[in-house]
């Protein structure tokens, strides 16, 4: 409906009365955020549709592509460059022979097994350990603690060369050796070159020198490992290991002496399980304290039962033989007393004697129970005292433990050195025991064909690949966002959706006109908007077998969709053909037609229905307008019961009589949703035209409105789509409805009584800014309307 408080007015042709600036828009647009029933999915894959979506959301795609480009660069900067070097090793299939029981026995070998065995040996832990020893990798911090392969700190390192130098002081030699072995085995790759007897040994590292040195050393260590099996190698190895044993033994003795001397000086006592005496005592105290706490809790539960008066039901009471005998005797005397009570009176001497015995036994039994319960209370007190003593002692021992820990720091360092030397000593002794003179005589089983060279450039990361992957992911993300946006768009964006969702014939498409050009477009008969209304008139003329309906109801699902303007323009256009047209303002709640025609609304339809108009004034109710052949029946005084008046038999009689006097009766009805006026009036009209606004009314609201009309028996002849952005580059109508550009054919830019926005800021003159403002106002207005309807 039109906004009564709208201040922008323009004078109609030939009259001084002002027309509302909301002549077409009828108020704020209501955009709905609810889900979109995406019916176009049934059409299948359409490349042209994808192209138009790409153009429609081009800025989103461009921004996501730029973000993907930046992400690819950032990910590349976060990756540490790695170098890769490859050495080639030829595996010789041996025809070796061994001496066995003075006989020469040939070895049977399978080529595939030989290559697979060599491949697994090259990746073995023993060979990796040998490489670590040969290159001294366990003592090189940059190899043991490399820069993370993927980290945010890598950006600063690569940009400014700032890195934290690793330290090996916090790890033992065994840990460093394990780390080095794990690095070699993790970054080493061994593959068989197809159709050859060559194995490619590839190692990747952040340092190009390590990559080439380790690849070459792996190949050399494999050969050395095989040669060590010969007798000569075994002798040399034995001699070398013996020298190492002597050196390590001296180091072990010295470190043990230092450890013992320090322990003696500081008074540190260590138990056999390598724990301090204080620590052992603390463990014992903790165990004893846990037991004491449990005993105290058990005794506490017993005392709690005693305090509740349940001492007689406790286990120690029930298990007491003396109390059990007293209980049995007491029960026997009580039974005798009850048996004799039926014969003798309580005052009889024999009965009094039984009562005395019962009381005495009861007293003895209660005293016994009291004695047991007192002992249980004493046990509970002892448990509490024991727990307190243990707690105090434990606190004392913990203080001693703190003092011991201060002294134990250096002791731990010395002990770690002893353990390290002992581990090396044990390892060398084990190797010395394993070394022996081999009886097997074999020739060299492998040879290095090509040594690894130091790589000049890293193989990872690759900027192009990272950017390509990032672009793909972000483009896919943008496609998902576009899909969700389209899915959530639950309004009508093109005429095809109206036809599919509502099953109505599209009789006319009314283009969107800028606010500043709206009034002039309505007045200009050559404007695109006027041409669109004439096209709608033509469609209505062919909507039935006998032409246009003689009475036409114009309504919409919600307010502000352009139905009043449509009634106004259709009346003019049909009158231009020579037809006698009566426009009835059927909106008795918020009338608007009298403003469009510049008339007052003192009397009208409501007065006619309520018989509050004099007979001599009946003719003046039907008012001639400045437009030839156009008569208006305004709404009149706003009644308190519009629905009752419109559903009265008199309203039907009025419409019938008016249909005989005029060639066409156009009824401007209120919106359908939330009101019963439009369904009531739709039963009285021969045809109903439903106005649906673009990107404003939700599909659910339109479906509900149409369902109500059909339930009331209305003949809905079709729909007119208002506020349609013809010039917008969108697939949904550009593909099928771009021919509506003929509306602007032969027209010139409209000038006249329109605010040119000269006093507005530059950004306010932008159509995009104005559309944004309209959307914000529509959202706020829609929210307020919904809140009012709910309340």
């Amino acid at each position: 409906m039109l906004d009564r408080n709208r201040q922008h007015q323009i004078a109609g042709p030939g009259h001084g009365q002002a027309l509302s600036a909301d002549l077409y828009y009828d108020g704020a647009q209501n955009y709905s955020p609810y889900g979109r029933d995406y019916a176009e999915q049934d059409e299948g894959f359409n490349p042209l549709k994808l192209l138009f979506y790409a153009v429609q959301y081009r800025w989103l795609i461009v921004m996501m592509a730029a973000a993907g480009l930046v992400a690819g660069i950032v990910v590349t900067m976060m990756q540490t460059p790695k170098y890769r070097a490859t050495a080639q090793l030829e595996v010789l299939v041996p025809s070796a022979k061994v001496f066995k029981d003075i006989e020469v026995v040939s070895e049977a070998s399978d080529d595939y097994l030989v290559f697979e065995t060599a491949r697994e040996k090259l990746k073995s832990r023993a060979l990796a350990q040998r490489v670590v020893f040969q290159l001294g990798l366990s003592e090189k911090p940059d190899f043991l603690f490399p820069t993370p392969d993927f980290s945010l700190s890598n950006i600063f390192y690569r940009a400014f060369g700032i890195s934290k130098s690793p330290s090996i002081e916090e790890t033992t030699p065994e840990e460093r050796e394990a780390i080095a072995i794990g690095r070699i085995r993790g970054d080493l790759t061994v593959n068989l070159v197809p159709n050859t007897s060559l194995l490619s040994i590839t190692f990747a590292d952040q340092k190009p020198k390590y990559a080439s040195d380790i690849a070459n050393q792996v190949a050399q260590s494999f050969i050395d490992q095989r040669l060590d099996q010969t007798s000569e190698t075994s002798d040399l190895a034995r001699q070398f290991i013996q020298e190492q044993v002597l050196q390590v033994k001296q180091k072990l003795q010295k470190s043990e002496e230092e450890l013992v001397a320090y322990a003696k000086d500081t008074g540190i006592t260590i138990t056999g399980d390598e724990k301090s005496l204080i620590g052992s005592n603390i463990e014992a105290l903790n165990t004893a304290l846990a037991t004491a706490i449990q005993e105290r809790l058990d005794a506490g539960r017993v005392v709690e039962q005693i305090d509740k008066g349940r001492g007689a039901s406790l286990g120690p009471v029930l298990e007491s033989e003396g109390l059990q005998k007293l209980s049995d005797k007491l029960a026997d005397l009580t039974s005798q007393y009850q048996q004799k009570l039926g014969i003798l009176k309580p005052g009889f001497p024999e009965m009094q004697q039984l009562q005395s015995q019962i009381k005495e036994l009861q007293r003895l039994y209660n005293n016994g129970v009291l004695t047991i319960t007192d002992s249980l209370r004493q046990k509970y007190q002892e448990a509490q005292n024991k727990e307190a003593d243990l707690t105090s002692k434990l606190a004392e021992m913990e203080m001693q433990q703190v003092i011991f820990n201060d002294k134990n720091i250096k002791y731990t360092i010395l002990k770690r050195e002893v353990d390290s030397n002992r581990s090396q000593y044990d390892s060398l002794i084990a190797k010395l025991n394993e070394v022996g003179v081999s009886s097997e005589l074999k020739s060299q089983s492998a040879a290095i064909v090509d040594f690894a060279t130091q790589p000049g450039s890293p193989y990872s990361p690759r900027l192009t690949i990272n950017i390509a992957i990032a672009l793909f992911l972000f483009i896919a993300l943008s496609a998902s966002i576009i899909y969700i946006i389209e899915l959530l768009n639950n309004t009508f964006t093109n005429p095809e959706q109206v036809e599919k969702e509502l099953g109505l014939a599209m009789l006319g498409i009314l283009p969107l006109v800028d606010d500043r050009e709206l009034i002039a477009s309505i007045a200009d008969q050559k404007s695109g908007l006027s041409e669109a209304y004439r096209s709608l008139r033509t469609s209505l003329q062919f909507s039935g077998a006998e032409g246009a309906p003689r009475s036409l109801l114009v309504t919409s699902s919600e307010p502000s969709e352009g139905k009043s303007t449509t009634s106004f323009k259709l009346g003019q256009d049909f009158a231009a053909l020579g037809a006698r047209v009566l426009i009835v303002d059927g909106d008795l709640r918020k009338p608007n037609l009298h403003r469009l025609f510049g008339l007052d609304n003192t009397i009208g339809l409501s007065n006619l229905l309520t018989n509050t108009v004099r007979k001599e004034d009946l003719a003046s109710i039907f008012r001639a307008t400045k437009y030839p052949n156009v008569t208006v029946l305004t709404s009149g005084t706003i009644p308190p019961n519009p629905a009752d008046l419109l559903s009265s038999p008199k309203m039907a009689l009025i419409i019938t009589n008016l249909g005989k006097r005029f060639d066409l009766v156009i009824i401007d009805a209120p919106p359908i949703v939330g009101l019963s006026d439009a369904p009531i009036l739709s039963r009285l009209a021969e045809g109903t035209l439903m106005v649906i606004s673009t990107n404003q009314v939700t599909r659910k609201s339109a479906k509900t409105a149409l369902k109500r009309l059909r339930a009331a028996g209305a003949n809905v002849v079709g729909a007119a789509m208002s506020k349609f952005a013809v010039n917008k580059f969108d697939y949904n109508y550009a593909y099928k409805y771009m021919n509506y550009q003929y509306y602007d054919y032969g027209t010139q830019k409209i000038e006249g009584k329109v605010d040119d926005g000269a006093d507005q800021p530059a950004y306010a003159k932008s159509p995009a800014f104005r559309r944004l403002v309209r959307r914000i106002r529509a959202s706020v207005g829609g929210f307020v309307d919904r809140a009012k309807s709910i309340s």
Side-chain angles (χ1 to χ4, degrees):
M1 298 299 296
L2 295 180
D3 189 357
R4 297 183 181 185
N5 299 321
R6 190 70 177 256
Q7 297 179 357
H8 299 284
Q9 303 288 330
I10 183 169
H15 283 260
Q17 291 87 349
L19 298 178
S20 172
D22 285 336
L23 194 61
Y24 174 74
Y25 289 107
D26 297 344
Q29 300 176 358
N30 297 321
Y31 291 90
S32 174
Y34 297 104
R36 179 182 181 185
D37 186 6
Y38 199 65
E40 288 83 348
Q41 291 181 349
D42 298 334
E43 298 178 0
F45 177 76
N46 191 332
L48 187 59
K49 181 177 181 180
L50 295 180
L51 174 62
F52 276 93
Y53 274 135
V55 175
Q56 180 182 357
Y57 295 95
R58 56 191 179 275
W59 291 116
L60 173 62
I61 297 174
V62 169
M63 287 189 294
M64 294 300 290
L69 180 63
V70 174
I73 296 175
V74 171
V75 168
T76 303
M77 294 294 292
M78 292 174 66
Q79 291 180 275
T80 302
K82 299 189 72 174
Y83 298 82
R84 183 168 53 192
T86 302
Q88 286 192 339
L89 182 70
E90 182 182 10
V91 179
L92 305 176
V93 179
S95 56
K97 300 179 181 179
V98 297
F99 290 95
K100 185 176 182 180
D101 296 335
I102 317 300
E103 296 180 358
V104 179
V105 180
S106 300
E107 282 188 339
S109 61
D110 184 272
D111 292 350
Y112 177 78
L113 293 179
V114 170
F115 295 140
E116 284 298 316
T117 302
R119 182 173 178 271
E120 292 301 320
K121 283 185 176 181
L122 286 165
K123 298 175 64 178
S124 66
R125 178 178 180 80
L127 187 64
Q129 188 176 20
R130 191 183 188 100
V131 173
V132 170
F133 180 78
Q134 292 293 335
L135 298 179
L137 299 177
S138 61
E139 303 298 326
K140 297 182 177 180
D142 55 347
F143 179 81
L144 295 174
F145 309 104
T147 306
D149 291 338
F150 187 84
S151 174
L152 187 62
S153 61
N154 289 341
I155 298 178
F156 301 95
Y157 172 70
R158 298 181 66 180
F160 307 103
I162 302 175
S163 63
K164 180 182 178 182
S165 58
S167 175
I168 62 174
E169 301 297 331
E170 300 176 357
T171 57
T172 62
E174 291 78 13
E175 293 175 345
R176 295 197 296 270
E177 182 179 357
I179 293 173
I181 292 173
R183 281 221 54 206
I184 290 178
R185 299 187 68 189
D187 295 331
L188 182 66
T189 304
V190 181
N191 293 315
L192 176 65
V193 180
N195 302 322
T196 66
S197 59
L198 300 178
L199 289 174
S200 63
I201 304 171
T202 303
F203 188 80
D205 193 83
Q206 297 176 5
K207 303 289 184 180
K209 181 172 176 55
Y210 284 148
S212 58
D213 290 350
I214 293 175
N216 291 330
Q217 187 59 48
V218 168
Q220 187 62 46
S221 296
F222 176 77
I223 298 174
D224 295 340
Q225 189 181 50
R226 297 296 299 269
L227 293 177
D228 286 347
Q229 298 174 4
T230 63
S231 58
E232 182 179 359
T233 307
S234 298
D235 292 339
L236 294 175
R238 177 184 292 273
Q239 181 180 358
F240 175 77
I241 293 175
Q242 286 176 346
E243 294 175 356
Q244 294 294 320
V245 167
L246 292 175
Q247 296 177 6
V248 174
K249 183 178 180 181
Q250 293 175 358
K251 292 172 62 178
L252 177 60
Q253 290 176 352
K254 183 179 179 181
S255 60
E256 287 178 342
E257 291 174 357
E258 293 178 354
L259 177 64
V260 173
Y262 179 77
K264 183 178 179 180
D265 294 339
T266 56
I268 296 177
T269 303
I270 303 297
T271 61
D273 55 355
E274 298 184 356
K275 294 181 180 179
S276 67
L277 185 58
I278 297 175
S280 301
N281 291 338
I282 289 177
E283 290 184 1
L285 285 175
N286 279 324
T287 304
L289 180 60
T291 305
I293 291 174
Q294 185 62 42
E295 291 176 355
R296 190 260 302 168
L297 292 176
D298 295 338
R301 285 191 286 270
V302 173
V303 171
E304 184 180 357
Q305 295 295 323
I306 295 173
D307 294 338
K308 292 182 179 179
R310 302 174 184 172
S313 61
L314 296 176
V317 175
L318 298 177
E319 295 173 358
S320 175
E321 294 181 0
L323 292 179
Q324 187 64 35
K325 291 179 181 180
L326 288 175
S327 178
D328 294 341
K329 191 173 181 179
L330 181 63
D332 183 49
L333 290 177
T334 303
S335 176
Q336 292 178 18
Y337 180 82
Q338 293 296 332
Q339 290 176 0
K340 292 181 180 183
L341 189 62
I343 302 173
L344 302 177
K345 294 182 178 181
F348 197 75
E350 183 179 355
M351 297 296 289
Q352 291 180 352
Q353 184 179 3
L354 284 174
Q355 289 179 358
S356 298
Q357 293 176 357
I358 290 172
K359 290 180 179 179
E360 181 63 22
L361 289 175
Q362 184 65 44
R363 185 183 65 80
L364 294 175
Y365 181 81
N366 291 338
N367 290 337
V369 171
L370 182 61
T371 301
I372 294 175
T373 55
D374 288 343
S375 66
L376 293 175
R377 290 180 183 273
Q378 182 64 29
K379 184 178 179 180
Y380 174 65
Q381 184 64 37
E382 292 175 356
Q384 286 181 324
N385 295 335
K386 183 180 179 180
E387 180 183 353
D389 293 340
L390 289 174
T391 303
S392 175
K393 187 62 177 176
L394 181 60
E396 181 181 349
M397 294 302 296
E398 287 177 347
M399 290 297 296
Q400 295 180 10
Q401 180 67 28
V402 172
I403 298 173
F404 171 79
N405 289 336
D406 294 338
K407 297 179 180 180
N408 196 41
I409 295 175
K410 186 175 180 180
Y411 179 86
T412 304
I413 297 174
L414 294 175
K415 188 176 182 303
R416 183 183 301 169
E417 186 176 357
V418 171
D419 294 340
S420 175
N421 293 332
R422 183 178 290 112
S423 176
Q424 294 183 25
Y425 181 77
D426 294 339
S427 176
L428 289 173
I429 291 296
K431 292 180 180 179
L432 185 61
N433 294 331
E434 293 174 0
V435 173
V437 179
S438 176
S439 61
E440 183 180 8
L441 301 178
K442 290 188 177 181
S443 60
Q444 188 174 351
S445 60
I448 299 178
V449 176
D450 194 5
F451 286 93
T453 58
Q454 185 171 322
S457 60
Y459 78 95
S460 174
R462 300 180 64 179
L463 180 61
T464 54
I465 293 179
N466 288 343
I467 290 178
I469 294 175
L471 285 176
F472 173 80
L473 293 178
F474 276 81
I475 293 298
L477 178 61
S478 64
S480 302
I481 295 174
I482 293 172
Y483 176 79
I484 294 174
I485 292 174
E486 291 295 318
L487 195 65
L488 295 177
N489 184 10
N490 196 30
T491 59
F492 295 98
T493 59
N494 60 68
E496 188 178 11
Q497 292 175 347
V498 176
E499 295 173 351
K500 286 187 177 182
E501 297 289 339
L502 304 182
L504 295 178
M506 183 53 60
L507 301 181
I509 302 173
L510 310 175
L512 176 67
V513 180
D514 189 83
D515 288 339
R516 297 182 299 173
E517 301 177 356
L518 177 60
I519 306 304
S521 296
I522 291 293
D524 186 3
Q525 297 301 316
K526 295 184 179 181
S527 67
L529 185 60
S530 298
E531 290 289 350
Y533 275 113
R534 284 192 287 273
S535 176
L536 174 60
R537 177 196 64 185
T538 304
S539 299
L540 286 172
Q541 288 178 313
F542 293 95
S543 61
E546 298 179 358
R550 296 185 61 85
S551 57
L552 177 66
L553 179 75
V554 180
T555 185
S556 62
S557 304
E558 299 177 355
S560 306
E561 293 193 60
K563 54 181 176 50
S564 297
T565 304
T566 301
S567 302
F568 174 74
K569 285 294 294 181
L570 285 178
Q572 297 180 32
D573 293 338
F574 274 103
L577 299 178
R580 294 173 300 166
V581 179
L582 172 66
I583 304 178
V584 179
D585 193 346
D587 191 347
L588 303 184
R589 301 174 186 270
K590 194 175 181 182
N592 189 56
L593 273 179
H594 64 281
R595 294 189 181 90
L596 297 178
F597 285 98
L599 304 174
D600 62 82
N601 193 28
T602 54
I603 58 174
L605 179 62
S606 62
N607 305 93
L608 191 62
L609 292 173
T610 55
N611 295 323
T612 58
V613 59
R614 296 176 299 178
K615 292 184 179 181
E616 55 271 17
D617 295 332
L618 285 176
S620 62
I621 291 181
F622 300 93
R623 305 182 185 184
T625 65
K626 60 187 177 183
Y627 306 103
N629 298 327
V630 177
T631 305
V632 177
L633 175 58
T634 60
S635 64
T637 305
I638 299 178
N641 55 345
D644 295 340
L645 294 180
L646 296 177
S647 60
S648 63
K650 190 170 184 179
M651 181 65 187
L653 183 61
I654 290 174
I655 295 299
T656 302
N657 292 333
L658 292 177
K660 297 177 181 178
R661 294 179 54 189
F662 294 92
D663 297 325
L664 175 61
V665 178
I666 299 177
I667 305 173
D668 179 23
I672 304 170
V673 176
L675 301 174
S676 60
D677 301 9
I680 293 173
L681 291 173
S682 66
R683 301 177 58 184
L684 307 179
E686 291 186 9
T688 299
L689 175 65
M690 194 169 177
V691 179
I692 299 173
S693 58
T694 307
N695 290 325
Q696 177 177 337
V697 64
T698 63
R699 302 184 189 184
K700 183 177 180 180
S701 178
K703 288 181 180 179
T704 302
L706 181 61
K707 185 177 180 180
R708 291 191 62 193
L709 288 178
R710 288 175 172 168
N715 176 29
V716 183
V717 296
M721 194 167 191
S722 62
K723 306 178 185 179
F724 187 73
V726 178
N727 294 325
K728 183 179 178 182
F729 190 76
D730 180 57
Y731 162 80
N732 294 322
Y733 51 83
Y735 183 63
K736 295 184 177 180
Y737 298 98
M738 196 60 78
N739 57 333
Y740 284 96
Q741 290 181 353
Y742 77 85
Y743 290 150
D744 296 329
Y745 179 77
T747 62
Q748 298 179 355
K749 185 175 180 180
I750 300 173
E751 299 178 355
K753 304 176 183 179
V754 181
D755 182 16
D756 58 358
D759 57 344
Q760 297 180 357
Y763 62 85
K765 301 178 183 180
S766 170
F769 176 80
R770 292 195 297 271
R771 286 195 296 269
L772 177 61
V773 172
R774 286 200 302 270
R775 286 177 180 269
I776 295 175
R777 291 176 178 174
S779 300
V780 175
F783 176 77
V784 173
D785 292 341
R786 292 188 182 93
K788 290 181 179 179
S789 62
I790 293 175
S791 61

